[in-house]
């Protein structure tokens, strides 16, 4: 934790216990960290204490529910295979991405057991596309966009555009409607815009 951040970031003006639980009345690290919540934003209600409007819509967003992923692979499986996929793979692996506010704003989520850690010390960031979008969309999407996957970088990337130039905050946070896929969303990026 960078002590210079304390008092500068509104989140760090609150006592650690506000989000992380624990016991701030004891000196012993082991006792202070008893019942510590390591990723408080995994509990959406923690963020809702201050950001209720955002979390209310986010709880139904594709980034939170990962319903688009689930529905996107469904045609590839028989009904029995899909059931096994949901029970053995989806909940244990796929849902590890895009599950919490903190995964984009504080610490990269672990993907296949690997995490980039804190994005900027313990500072809450509005966006850092290279560490947030790219971490979960980095298998193919982001490296193709930047040209790291082979071939030429996308023309938008060549012109200095990043993800959030087209994919706006409302798309990430959701609009309060539970969509089955990103094609169903009404505020999708469009070239004409």
């Amino acid at each position: 934790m960078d002590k210079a951040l304390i008092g500068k970031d509104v989140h760090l003006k609150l006592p650690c216990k506000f989000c992380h639980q624990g016991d701030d009345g004891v000196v012993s690290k082991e006792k202070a960290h008893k019942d510590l919540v390591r990723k408080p934003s995994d509990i959406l209600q923690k963020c809702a204490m201050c950001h209720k409007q955002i979390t209310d819509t986010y709880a139904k967003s594709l980034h939170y529910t990962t319903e688009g992923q689930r529905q996107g692979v469904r045609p590839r499986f028989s009904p029995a295979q899909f059931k096994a996929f949901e029970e053995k793979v989806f909940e244990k692996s796929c849902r590890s991405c895009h599950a919490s506010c903190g995964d984009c704003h504080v610490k990269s989520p672990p993907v296949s057991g690997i995490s980039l850690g804190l994005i900027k010390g313990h500072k809450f960031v509005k966006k850092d596309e290279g560490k947030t979008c790219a971490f979960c969309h980095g298998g193919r999407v982001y490296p193709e966009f930047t040209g790291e996957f082979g071939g030429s970088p996308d023309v938008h990337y060549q012109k200095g555009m990043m993800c959030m130039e087209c994919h706006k905050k409302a798309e990430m946070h959701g609009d309060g409607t539970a969509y089955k896929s990103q094609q169903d969303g009404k505020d999708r990026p469009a070239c004409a815009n």
Side-chain angles (χ1 to χ4, degrees), residues 46-167:
K46 293 264 185 197
C47 298
M49 290 188 289
C50 299
H51 304 280
K52 182 159 177 32
Q53 184 179 357
I54 293 170
T55 56
D56 283 353
T57 59
Y58 187 66
K60 293 179 181 175
S61 75
L62 289 169
H63 271 112
Y64 185 74
T65 65
T66 59
E67 188 61 22
Q69 263 186 325
R70 175 183 277 129
Q71 295 305 321
V73 300
R74 181 176 226 132
R76 300 176 188 174
F77 300 116
S78 70
Q81 289 171 325
F82 186 70
K83 184 175 189 268
F85 166 77
E86 284 202 302
E87 293 168 0
K88 296 179 181 174
V89 178
F90 191 78
E91 287 303 321
K92 294 179 176 137
S93 179
C94 303
R95 291 257 318 142
S96 68
C97 287
H98 299 299
S100 77
C101 305
D103 288 339
C104 291
H105 296 289
V106 182
K107 183 179 180 188
S108 297
V111 176
S112 299
I114 299 168
S115 172
L116 292 177
L118 294 169
I119 297 169
K120 288 195 178 171
H122 197 118
K123 182 179 181 183
F124 287 68
V125 296
K126 287 191 177 187
K127 65 178 182 173
D128 185 336
E129 292 154 274
K131 288 188 178 178
T132 54
C133 303
F135 202 67
C136 290
H137 295 279
R140 181 185 56 83
V141 176
Y142 193 80
E144 282 184 0
F145 181 66
T146 61
E148 295 169 36
F149 196 69
S152 298
D154 185 279
V155 67
H156 301 91
Y157 182 75
Q158 290 177 32
K159 299 290 183 186
M161 294 174 72
M162 291 298 288
C163 311
M164 299 298 287
E165 303 284 340
C166 299
H167 298 277

